[in-house]
Every structure is written in C-alpha cells, then in structure tokens.
Amino acid sequence: MPHPADHDTLALPGAAPIKLWTHGVPVEEAARTQLIHTARLPIIYKHLAVMPDVHLGKGSTIGSVIPTLGAIIPAAVGVDIGCGMMAVRTTLDAADLPDKLHGLRSAIEKAVPHGRDMTRGKRDHGSWGKPPASVDAAWKRLQPGFRRLVERAPRLEKTNNHSHLGTLGTGNHFIEVCLDEAGRVWFMLHSGSRGVGNAIGRHYIELAQADMRQHLANLPDRDLAYFTEGAQHFDDYVEAVGWAQDFARTNRELMMAHLIDAARHVIKKPFTADQQAVNCHHNYVQKETHFGREVFITRKGAVSAQAGQLGIIPGSMGAASYIVRGKGNPESFCSCSHGAGRVMSRTAARKQFTVDDQVRATAGVECRKDAEVIDEIPMAYKDIDAVMEAQAGLVEVVYRLRQVVCVKG
C-alpha cells in the first residue's frame, strides 16, 4: 500500500510546487496545464495539493486544494458553492427492502424535486411549486442573510432560492439507497446551493475580473482573478460564500428528511436513520491553520480529511462508494478526493456510449437507463478503487457501499 507521503511533486520555476496523489490514475494534460497556471499565482501558500480524481475544470482544476494567503479566487470555489455529500446509516438490512425497488425509487422521485425543464410559462419540475412547511421554516432562517446579500447585489433577488431549497438539481447530483459490506441500508445524496449559489458564484467571478481588469493580462487565465483582503468586495464575497454553504448544507438535510419520510411509506419495517451521519462540502472555501499560518483553503472537488473526520467519496452510478476517516495528512492540507473524477467530458461520453452500454453498466441498480443519463455512465469516470488506492495515505476506509437505487437529476 502507498506510504502516507506517497505523492509526486511537480516543481517549476516561478510557480509554487504541485503535489499530486495520482499514482495509478490518469491525469489529462489540460488539467496539468491548468494546475501550473494556478501555481503561478503570487497568492499561493506553500504548494497545491492534487487529489487522484483530478480533471479539467472551469477556472481551476477539479480535485485540487488551493491554499491562499490573504486572498480568495471566486472561480476556484466555483458556481456550485457548498456542493457536497450527505449519508446516513439506517437500522434496516437488505432483507427489509422490497423485492421490487422501482416503487422505492418512484417514492423518492416524488418526494424530492429533481432534474430541470424550462418550458416557457410553466414551473420547472426541478423546483417547488408550493414548498412544504419544512422548506418554508428553513428558508425563514436563511432569509435574513439573503436579504443582506441582495442589498449588495440586487440581481440575486430574482434567482431560484426558496423554490430550490430541498431540491436535487441535474448533472452528477444524485440520491442513492446503498448497502454496506454487512448488508446494512444507507441513504446517500449529492447536491449543493442550486440556482442561488450559481448566481452568487457568477456575480462575484465577474466582479473579481472587473476589479482586476488592469491585471488580467498578467494572469495565466482570467478565471484566476481574485479578491484580496481589504479590497472592496472581499468581505462581501466571504459573507456570500458562507451563506451559500449554509444553504447547501440545509438543502441536503431537507432532502434527506424527505427521502427518509418517503422510504417509510414504502418500507413496512419501522427504522431510524441517524447512525454515522455525515454531511460534508467538497466545493468551498474556509479559513484554516496549516504549517503554523492561518490561510484560506479552497477545496475544488476535494473533501476535508482531518484526523478522525468522517467523509464521503462516491463512485459513479454502478460503482462502489466509500465512507472514509481522515488521516490528517498535513501535506494534502488534510484533504482527500471528492469522488472518482471524470476521464471524459459529458459530450464525449454521449458520443462513445449507447443506452445498451448504460443498461449493462448499471445492472442490478434500480435507476434510469435512457439516453439522458449516458453522460453519467460509469465508464466516463476513473476507477474508484484505483482512486482510493492512490490516496491510502490520506484516508482509511470505514465502509464500502454499493448502490441498489439511484435517482439522477
């Protein structure tokens, strides 16, 4: 097994070192170039840490940990602010699930708005028409903070905010029913700050570029524009990001509550679902202390893995997922991967694979098997077991999960 410090270091003149936990997994050349661009910024502290699920992203590389001194790069945090995972272990066993799982999937799909359609004049089915009382109560707590954000950025007023709270979204966001090695039932889901987080991210990315207009020519990529502490919009962005991360965490908690309630209507055996609960971001920024200094840590598709901290590393639909415990490796800024990581774009996956391929790849999983989800086919992702082996020095596996039901946006 790899040694805790088993990583490669890329050292280039005029750039911070890049430390990569990528033994045995592919790293595309475009992602390597993007990492080098980020490493050349003057605000990088110590080094970049690169996780084994690394792949090309917008602005900054997905699967990277970016430590910065007195500055934050909004495009590195991205537009799905606070995107992350939640999982709970239930008191159910595999034998307690119904023989036919389609009814369970249908109940979950009814309980949690998911997907997206933008038919003119009609409500998007991926949002609430009339939010339930639990969503209204959660929004009441979030609303004062939102009002402060709108005072500074009036364009946020017209976003999907209240109507998206407790909803899944599209793309690689999902809800799953899983079994661990002992046959115990878990519920797991993946989503973030939805429409309002996207709008906050885009607004501040544009502001950072406008504020640095005279410096853009000196940046390797205009999406690496950053706010520095004391600058006009820095504090506004920190507050906005904090609110969006709170929205994202609340969003996952609401969906999980609705998922559990839906399952109770289908599964006859009474159960509880609060054992080993984990709720973790993997697209976010926060202040942390590393190597004796307080710095901003942006995890762009990476999970905090402090010593003893539980995290979630999902595989693709049809592959294993893992509940892990962090080892607190200082060289990775106490981080690990956020999933398997794509090996091809969504467009490439749709061109290369067919519905028949999707059916074969998800055999044994109750899920959609149609042309709309081919871009999420397991073969579009890296081998999750190779990814886990590459980061054996960062986390230890607590549970290995396999999904039996998967709901995709």
Side-chain angles (χ1 to χ4, degrees):
M1 293 297 287
H3 184 271
D6 189 13
H7 58 267
D8 297 317
T9 301
L10 184 60
L12 295 162
I18 302 170
K19 298 191 176 187
L20 303 101
W21 280 261
T22 55
H23 286 186
V25 293
V27 182
E28 62 197 314
E29 201 52 45
R32 198 178 292 269
T33 300
Q34 196 173 48
L35 288 166
I36 292 167
H37 287 168
T38 304
R40 288 201 163 118
L41 293 176
I43 56 173
I44 300 300
Y45 171 71
K46 289 285 186 186
H47 59 267
L48 295 185
V50 180
M51 303 298 102
D53 58 341
V54 59
H55 59 284
L56 187 70
K58 172 85 168 119
S60 290
T61 320
I62 297 164
S64 60
V65 182
I66 305 166
T68 49
L69 280 171
I72 299 176
I73 309 162
V77 180
V79 296
D80 198 354
I81 301 166
C83 186
M85 299 287 306
M86 185 173 182
V88 298
R89 199 181 94 197
T90 75
T91 52
L92 295 169
D93 289 318
D96 301 320
L97 294 175
D99 293 337
K100 300 284 187 187
L101 293 171
H102 180 74
L104 180 56
R105 174 163 76 98
S106 296
I108 295 167
E109 289 173 339
K110 286 188 181 75
V112 181
H114 58 284
R116 182 174 185 261
D117 64 17
M118 296 306 292
T119 309
R120 192 181 295 275
K122 292 186 180 177
R123 177 180 70 85
D124 171 19
H125 71 252
S127 66
W128 296 108
K130 184 178 183 342
S134 58
V135 170
D136 287 342
W139 177 248
K140 190 174 181 181
R141 181 182 66 79
L142 289 164
Q143 194 170 24
F146 183 64
R147 294 257 59 90
R148 286 195 300 275
L149 302 189
V150 169
E151 285 170 15
R152 294 171 196 144
R155 67 193 280 192
L156 299 178
E157 178 80 60
K158 301 295 185 185
T159 55
N160 282 312
N161 40 74
H162 187 176
S163 66
H164 268 189
L165 188 58
T167 72
L168 185 64
T170 61
N172 62 352
H173 293 163
F174 64 79
I175 296 171
E176 289 182 344
V177 180
C178 303
L179 303 176
D180 65 19
E181 305 96 321
R184 290 171 297 212
V185 176
W186 290 68
F187 298 140
M188 186 165 74
L189 55 83
H190 171 211
S191 193
S193 52
R194 304 290 283 111
V196 66
N198 184 289
I200 289 168
R202 284 188 288 108
H203 175 70
Y204 283 100
I205 289 167
E206 290 168 15
L207 269 184
Q209 290 171 347
D211 288 356
M212 288 193 76
R213 189 170 288 119
Q214 70 224 51
H215 304 292
L216 285 180
N218 299 322
L219 288 174
D221 183 331
R222 63 182 285 109
D223 277 332
L224 292 175
Y226 53 85
F227 296 123
T228 53
E229 279 186 293
Q232 180 184 359
H233 297 113
F234 182 88
D235 290 340
D236 292 351
Y237 179 65
V238 169
E239 183 177 348
V241 159
W243 182 88
Q245 290 170 187
D246 189 11
F247 182 105
R249 185 179 295 277
T250 304
N251 184 42
R252 291 191 290 273
E253 289 169 351
L254 285 165
M255 282 192 288
M256 186 60 76
H258 296 157
L259 158 60
I260 291 167
D261 188 54
R264 285 198 169 115
H265 283 87
V266 176
I267 300 167
K268 301 309 176 192
K269 181 178 178 179
F271 68 89
T272 58
D274 53 2
Q275 303 178 29
Q276 299 279 331
V278 189
N279 191 349
C280 56
H281 298 318
H282 55 222
N283 276 358
Y284 69 111
V285 60
Q286 67 183 18
K287 264 190 176 176
E288 296 180 6
T289 300
H290 293 274
F291 301 103
R293 288 198 69 171
E294 191 174 63
V295 295
F296 288 101
I297 296 289
T298 298
R299 291 188 175 91
K300 170 88 163 181
V303 177
S304 178
Q306 302 279 350
Q309 184 178 21
L310 291 177
I312 308 169
I313 303 177
S316 59
M317 60 192 299
S321 296
Y322 292 89
I323 307 295
V324 297
R325 184 178 289 113
K327 292 186 174 181
N329 189 315
E331 294 298 311
S332 72
F333 299 99
C334 301
S335 306
C336 65
S337 88
H338 83 311
R342 296 191 75 91
V343 289
M344 66 179 71
S345 70
R346 296 183 182 279
T347 302
R350 281 191 286 266
K351 285 180 179 173
Q352 186 166 332
F353 298 108
T354 66
V355 171
D356 287 344
D357 294 326
Q358 176 77 348
V359 169
R360 281 191 294 273
T362 58
V365 182
E366 172 56 49
C367 63
R368 285 174 58 195
K369 303 173 193 277
D370 57 59
E372 295 299 312
V373 292
I374 287 175
D375 56 351
E376 282 293 301
I377 197 166
M379 291 82 85
Y381 286 84
K382 297 180 187 182
D383 177 349
I384 185 65
D385 293 318
V387 165
M388 295 305 297
E389 187 171 340
Q391 59 185 334
L394 308 182
V395 292
E396 62 176 322
V397 173
V398 183
Y399 299 103
R400 188 180 194 269
L401 309 180
R402 64 177 182 88
Q403 66 271 72
V404 292
V405 176
C406 178
V407 172
K408 280 280 185 189

